[in-house]
Amino acid sequence: MNIHDAGSTEIAKEATNPGAPDWHSDVVAPLRVDSADDVAWDSVADLVVVGYGGAGVCAALQARELDLSVIAVDRFAGGGATRINGGVFYAGGGTEIQKEAGVADTPEEMFRYLQLETQGVVSDETLRRFCETSAEAAEWLTGHGVRFSSKLYSKKTSYPHTDYSLYHSDNSLAPLYKALAKPAARGHRALVDHLDVPLGYGKGIYDPLRAAADRAGVTFYHSSTVRQLVIDQSGRVVGIRVTQIPREGNGVARYAKLMARASSIVMSVPPGMPGAGLFRAFAERKFAKARTIEQRIGLTRFIRARRGVCLSAGGFIFNRDMVRRYAPKYLMGMPLGTPGDDGSGIRLGQSAGGAVERLGHVSAWRFINPPIAWAEGMLVNRKGERFVNEMLYGASIGMAMVEEHDGASWIIIDDDQRRKAMAQANDEKTLPFQKYPAVAAMLFGSRKSKSLETLARKCGFEPERFTDEVARYNALAEGRRPDPLGKASEDIAIIRTPPFHAINISIDARLAALPVLTLGGLKVDEATGAVLDGGGARIPGLFAAGRNAIGICSNIYVSGLSAADCVFSGRRVASSAAAEP
Ligand SMILES: Cc1cc2nc3c(=O)[nH]c(=O)nc-3n(C[C@H](O)[C@H](O)[C@H](O)COP(=O)(O)OP(=O)(O)OC[C@H]3O[C@@H](n4cnc5c(N)ncnc54)[C@H](O)[C@@H]3O)c2cc1C
């Protein structure tokens, strides 16, 4: 049979898996053919990249450097979450930028630090390789036109003012970590011209790589969604089926506009805000309309992959059914990413028998510094008990809050500290995305009282337990005994001047949205990036990278680690495809 002649409707019917799970996914079961020769392919390449964001562009560019022919496809225009992100690339072990800034670092110290964060999510061998090749990875980026600067911010912050480029984007300055690994500034933020908003710095990494990939001869199909793999009789993935919106007419523009509008609603309305459900329903209608355009005018294309298919289609935070099923604690978080983060890459891997891991691992960003006056205060759970070192990186705080304390948390500060926090939030060096939520939470999302007991009652804490907790916290400031949660005494602001304030930063707080993105994905062979099945065997011809795969950041995220993993895992796929017969 000439598969292409069969027509897309028939193929879709044939391919629909009646046993597929009943949660949403547009992905259908693989098209099984006797041999790749049975298909009338529209295009052929050595490596076919599904999803042209961070990991995808690295796989594609590296593959061209290894002389492979490459076709990359993307549902939208490419770039994905990588292009809209904060532009932080985690690198160390002695990068040129670190050296220029006078920051001493070695691969060994970086390895020791990351071991604490990654907790065995990849083998020590892989983590070591990541650290040993980190400086070279930074050079690979700069060699392709990515720019960083050695302007160093050496204090604790979640994200420094845009005057700076190099900073501690992790927990390495916290005493418990510092005792085990020598800290170094490893967050390299890309430089971007003419950008007055902080987010979107990711284009400083993505655009130069994309331009280099264009120059190197990567063929790119935009507005092309992959929903099906093609597998031959031997079990090898030999290609993909794509639904492509034709360039002619206004379909591409309408599709992109609907998707962009819907995702901006999803990413700007905190799910805890009154009326959020209505906004969400409105966004869902736009998503559905966009899908209808695709179904109505989309053309079917088959693309042959001679040496491999690379799944690099991002995470699944925009797929509410997947979040409900795998990471329900994070449903009230605000999805961070693009509508491309619908889990289709992971589902494509699963459709070929790929095993998944850590789908419940979600990064929840509860950044409380700036204003540093918040982080000098005390964080408590719904019982009024302190539970975390407030100076930790925001994703560590978010994880402790959601995983261990039902997503509930309040910042407790006194009136002096609140005044300081207001001044810091309004400081010209505080970026708008940090300032406005902080001010709004202090003005409209907090409670205050002249006594700690009344404050406890207003927040639902047990008064005696709460006042004891405050007394214990204040005593830590004297530095006579170490904080069991690892906060340095100089970072503790005594809570003594009434009125006392409790600022709600819970996952369902009305004004303090908790951004969330997924970290889990397909299990891969760490040497090659090949997708593994449930028995640990490689699925021939199928690779995964970035947030489609388990990687360095799949246990916990610190700023820049996802981008760094995209570079590491994307390039790994290219090398493995080049080694394929
Ligand atoms: C606002 C924000 C700030 C962030 N800041 C940072 C930061 O500073 N540093 C850092 O390391 N991380 C950051 N992150 C996280 C990081 O951006 C992501 O984890 C990372 O970009 C994921 O890269 P990826 O290549 O896996 O996916 P993406 O870059 O999202 O690329 C996936 C691509 O696949 C396409 N696609 C999806 N499904 C299909 C399909 N079925 N067919 C065809 N194409 C498909 C999508 O359209 C998309 O272009 C941030 C994230 C956000 C949203």
Side-chain angles (χ1 to χ4, degrees):
M1 169 177 70
N2 185 323
I3 296 293
H4 201 173
D5 292 345
S8 59
T9 319
E10 203 175 310
I11 289 166
K13 233 187 285 160
E14 179 190 337
T16 302
N17 179 358
D22 58 3
W23 41 277
H24 165 78
S25 162
D26 290 336
V27 168
V28 295
L31 181 65
R32 305 266 172 191
V33 294
D34 285 342
S35 139
D37 297 338
D38 291 346
V39 183
W41 302 101
D42 293 286
S43 334
V44 181
D46 293 325
L47 181 67
V48 174
V49 174
V50 177
Y52 205 30
V57 76
C58 292
L61 177 56
Q62 180 71 75
R64 283 300 300 131
E65 288 174 342
L66 295 169
D67 261 346
L68 301 186
S69 57
V70 182
I71 293 175
V73 297
D74 199 285
R75 244 182 112 173
F76 305 110
T82 303
R83 196 166 185 274
I84 60 161
N85 79 17
V88 184
F89 177 71
Y90 194 88
T95 67
E96 288 304 315
I97 294 292
Q98 284 180 317
K99 286 182 194 156
E100 221 177 287
V103 171
D105 195 13
T106 63
E108 184 58 28
E109 291 300 342
M110 181 180 180
F111 170 75
R112 281 148 67 110
Y113 170 72
L114 282 178
Q115 253 189 332
L116 302 171
E117 298 288 13
T118 54
Q119 295 285 316
V121 70
V122 295
S123 67
D124 278 359
E125 189 190 345
T126 301
L127 184 61
R128 208 174 270 288
R129 195 165 61 245
F130 174 75
C131 297
E132 282 167 356
T133 56
S134 176
E136 183 276 330
E139 290 308 297
W140 188 75
L141 294 186
T142 51
H144 287 299
V146 177
R147 292 177 301 129
F148 301 111
S149 106
S150 56
K151 190 83 191 294
L152 173 70
Y153 189 84
S154 55
K155 293 183 229 151
K156 294 170 193 138
T157 180
S158 59
Y159 195 80
H161 186 264
T162 49
D163 286 351
Y164 301 93
S165 176
L166 183 66
Y167 72 111
H168 293 264
S169 65
D170 57 15
N171 288 309
S172 59
L173 289 174
L176 290 178
Y177 294 83
K178 217 167 155 177
L180 298 168
K182 191 162 169 269
R186 300 190 181 107
H188 293 57
R189 185 171 52 198
L191 303 182
V192 177
D193 291 330
H194 312 303
L195 191 64
D196 53 6
V197 290
L199 295 181
Y201 269 69
K203 65 174 84 157
I205 294 180
Y206 184 79
D207 289 359
L209 293 179
R210 172 74 173 269
D214 286 349
R215 286 194 300 274
V218 171
T219 302
F220 175 53
Y221 298 146
H222 64 83
S223 315
S224 303
T225 305
V226 183
R227 299 235 162 77
Q228 189 176 35
L229 297 176
V230 183
I231 299 184
D232 74 9
Q233 206 179 29
S234 73
R236 184 179 179 86
V237 175
V238 292
I240 58 172
R241 181 171 71 93
V242 176
T243 304
Q244 191 176 54
I245 302 178
R247 283 168 194 222
E248 304 75 37
N250 63 357
V252 168
R254 280 176 50 225
Y255 178 72
K257 198 163 149 187
L258 283 164
M259 283 291 187
R261 283 208 177 142
S263 75
S264 70
I265 295 171
V266 172
M267 284 211 290
S268 54
V269 180
M273 198 178 93
L278 285 176
F279 282 103
R280 181 80 216 189
F282 186 60
E284 286 302 338
R285 270 193 22 219
K286 292 204 178 296
F287 282 138
K289 261 192 189 167
R291 277 196 293 271
T292 311
I293 293 177
E294 194 190 71
Q295 280 157 11
R296 211 163 32 81
I297 62 171
L299 304 170
T300 295
R301 298 272 179 260
F302 285 90
I303 304 177
R304 165 94 165 98
R306 276 191 294 247
R307 303 212 193 182
V309 167
C310 171
L311 298 175
S312 46
F316 66 89
I317 203 66
F318 270 64
N319 184 330
R320 306 314 284 161
D321 291 332
M322 276 182 87
V323 175
R324 194 169 291 114
R325 177 177 164 132
Y326 291 110
K329 289 177 184 170
Y330 295 88
L331 263 177
M332 283 305 283
M334 195 166 79
L336 199 58
T338 75
D341 290 313
D342 69 348
S344 51
I346 294 171
R347 290 282 295 127
L348 281 165
Q350 284 182 294
S351 76
V356 287
E357 212 173 66
R358 297 187 189 237
L359 295 189
H361 277 234
V362 167
S363 189
W365 295 358
R366 185 43 89 211
F367 294 125
I368 57 167
N369 169 20
I372 198 167
W374 277 12
E376 289 163 351
M378 179 172 104
L379 278 195
V380 296
N381 61 18
R382 69 168 80 252
K383 292 184 193 152
E385 291 162 346
R386 191 167 167 250
F387 63 91
V388 73
N389 173 356
E390 297 81 356
M391 280 286 167
L392 287 186
Y393 178 73
S396 303
I397 294 177
M399 184 183 244
M401 179 178 119
V402 180
E403 288 296 325
E404 293 152 31
H405 299 277
D406 310 325
S409 185
W410 299 77
I411 299 171
I412 310 297
I413 47 177
D414 71 4
D415 208 46
D416 294 340
Q417 203 65 8
R418 182 181 182 274
R419 253 196 303 275
K420 250 171 81 182
M422 260 311 175
Q424 289 163 356
N426 285 304
D427 188 281
E428 58 174 17
K429 293 277 183 195
T430 304
L431 297 164
F433 85 104
Q434 298 165 323
K435 167 183 168 169
Y436 293 115
V439 170
M442 284 189 275
L443 290 179
F444 308 114
S446 67
R447 297 187 184 160
K448 71 172 174 179
S449 172
K450 283 186 183 145
S451 85
L452 286 169
E453 289 79 3
T454 320
L455 186 68
R457 274 188 213 100
K458 282 185 174 178
C459 298
F461 312 146
E462 206 276 292
E464 206 171 319
R465 188 184 285 187
F466 176 63
T467 47
D468 284 354
E469 195 73 78
V470 172
R472 267 196 299 276
Y473 185 70
N474 285 345
L476 289 172
E478 292 161 14
R480 270 185 278 148
R481 64 177 185 88
D483 175 18
L485 296 174
K487 193 173 189 176
S489 57
E490 65 268 22
D491 291 332
I492 293 174
I494 295 183
I495 300 166
R496 71 177 145 215
T497 312
F500 304 106
H501 303 264
I503 302 155
N504 188 357
I505 55 159
S506 305
I507 190 169
D508 58 357
R510 289 174 172 209
L511 292 167
L514 184 73
V516 287
L517 54 90
T518 62
L519 300 175
L522 293 159
K523 276 176 86 164
V524 290
D525 171 31
E526 292 178 18
T528 59
V531 175
L532 300 177
D533 68 17
R538 288 181 52 173
I539 297 175
L542 191 63
F543 299 91
R547 300 291 54 80
N548 269 185
I550 290 292
I552 310 289
C553 63
S554 295
N555 181 55
I556 195 167
Y557 168 85
V558 294
S559 275
L561 202 54
S562 183
D565 178 67
C566 285
V567 176
F568 180 72
S569 61
R571 294 175 76 197
R572 176 173 65 187
V573 168
S575 307
S576 308
E580 287 276 306

